[in-house]
Amino acid sequence: MIVIAHRGASAELPENTLPAFERAIELGADYVELDVHADRDGRLVVTHDAPRRGGEYPMLEEALDLMRGRIGAMVELKTPWRYRRHDVVSRTVELLTAEDALVCFQRSALEDARALRPGLRTVQHVGVGVSIRGAREAWAAGFRDQRVTRRGIGAAQALGLETLVYTVNDERRMRELAAAGVGGIFTDRPAAALRLAREAPI
């Protein structure tokens, strides 16, 4: 099972910060997931919520520089339609490598990304405005833990999609999802997920 450190090792350190990303790398997670907005000046900043004036946030470029060659990045574009004037999709795509993936709830943003970079891994979150079938051109479908079902997992797999579930922090739930055939989890507790994987592959 793919272990994705949700906003870094965010159960241990402040989320979406360089120390949280570094800790996820140290632990051996497969990917770091981070959230991206554009600030008022059009800079690509790492934060889950919309950036506040005067707030201090890591820049996407510096976060990716930290990860490069060490761990894959799953970059989630937050409400990219708000930032069309800043070309956030194309600018983000330019920064990603073949080991990275672009994540979004908004299907049109991922369609634009794939048009710019055929073969780019994209993760389409489903169940909130986009159906599983609507994700068929993506690499993976992202399911919310509270809504995922075996039927949904099977439907995504039948379309050739990798299956990822967010956000899973309970160890028993991690085992349940592994038994259901889920391909990976987003977790604030990558250390716990990796420990379970070593004890009995999840």
Side-chain angles (χ1 to χ4, degrees):
M1 180 178 280
I2 300 167
V3 175
I4 305 156
H6 182 243
R7 307 175 195 167
S10 55
E12 298 183 36
L13 292 161
E15 66 178 40
N16 278 323
T17 61
L18 299 183
F21 303 154
E22 184 66 48
R23 179 60 177 153
I25 294 168
E26 292 171 0
L27 290 169
D30 298 299
Y31 286 91
V32 164
E33 182 267 355
L34 62 151
D35 304 303
V36 174
H37 287 266
D39 69 9
R40 294 172 64 90
D41 297 317
R43 295 174 299 185
L44 300 176
V45 295
V46 178
T47 172
H48 178 266
D49 299 323
R52 301 184 309 274
R53 179 176 291 185
E56 295 185 9
Y57 308 100
M59 303 290 289
L60 176 58
E61 292 90 339
E62 66 179 324
L64 293 176
D65 284 346
L66 175 72
M67 298 176 204
R68 192 66 66 233
R70 304 172 71 200
I71 194 169
M74 286 202 179
V75 177
E76 180 166 347
L77 294 178
K78 307 300 286 188
T79 59
W81 58 270
R82 292 182 179 174
Y83 310 120
R84 283 173 294 191
R85 68 186 183 280
H86 296 306
D87 298 321
V88 295
V89 174
S90 61
R91 290 168 57 209
T92 300
V93 166
E94 288 176 3
L95 296 172
L96 302 181
T97 71
E99 288 74 41
D100 303 327
L102 190 66
V103 185
C104 199
F105 282 89
Q106 187 180 334
R107 185 169 64 180
S108 61
L110 296 181
E111 290 171 343
D112 291 347
R114 290 191 295 268
L116 291 165
R117 275 266 299 276
L120 175 69
R121 288 183 175 183
T122 57
V123 180
Q124 174 69 67
H125 286 319
V126 299
V128 183
V130 178
S131 67
I132 295 170
R133 183 168 295 279
R136 62 188 176 277
E137 300 300 324
W139 166 65
F143 295 85
R144 185 176 180 183
D145 184 32
Q146 293 85 345
R147 302 183 66 174
V148 67
T149 64
R150 284 181 180 267
R151 181 178 179 183
I153 293 299
Q157 291 171 339
L159 292 171
L161 294 166
E162 185 60 87
T163 52
L164 309 175
V165 177
Y166 65 94
T167 303
V168 186
N169 293 318
D170 179 76
E171 294 181 19
R172 185 169 73 175
R173 181 59 173 159
M174 293 175 188
R175 291 191 179 95
E176 290 172 353
L177 291 170
V182 167
I185 57 170
F186 294 81
T187 179
D188 301 334
R189 302 179 61 216
L194 291 161
R195 185 180 66 253
L196 288 175
R198 287 192 296 270
E199 292 172 357
I202 59 172

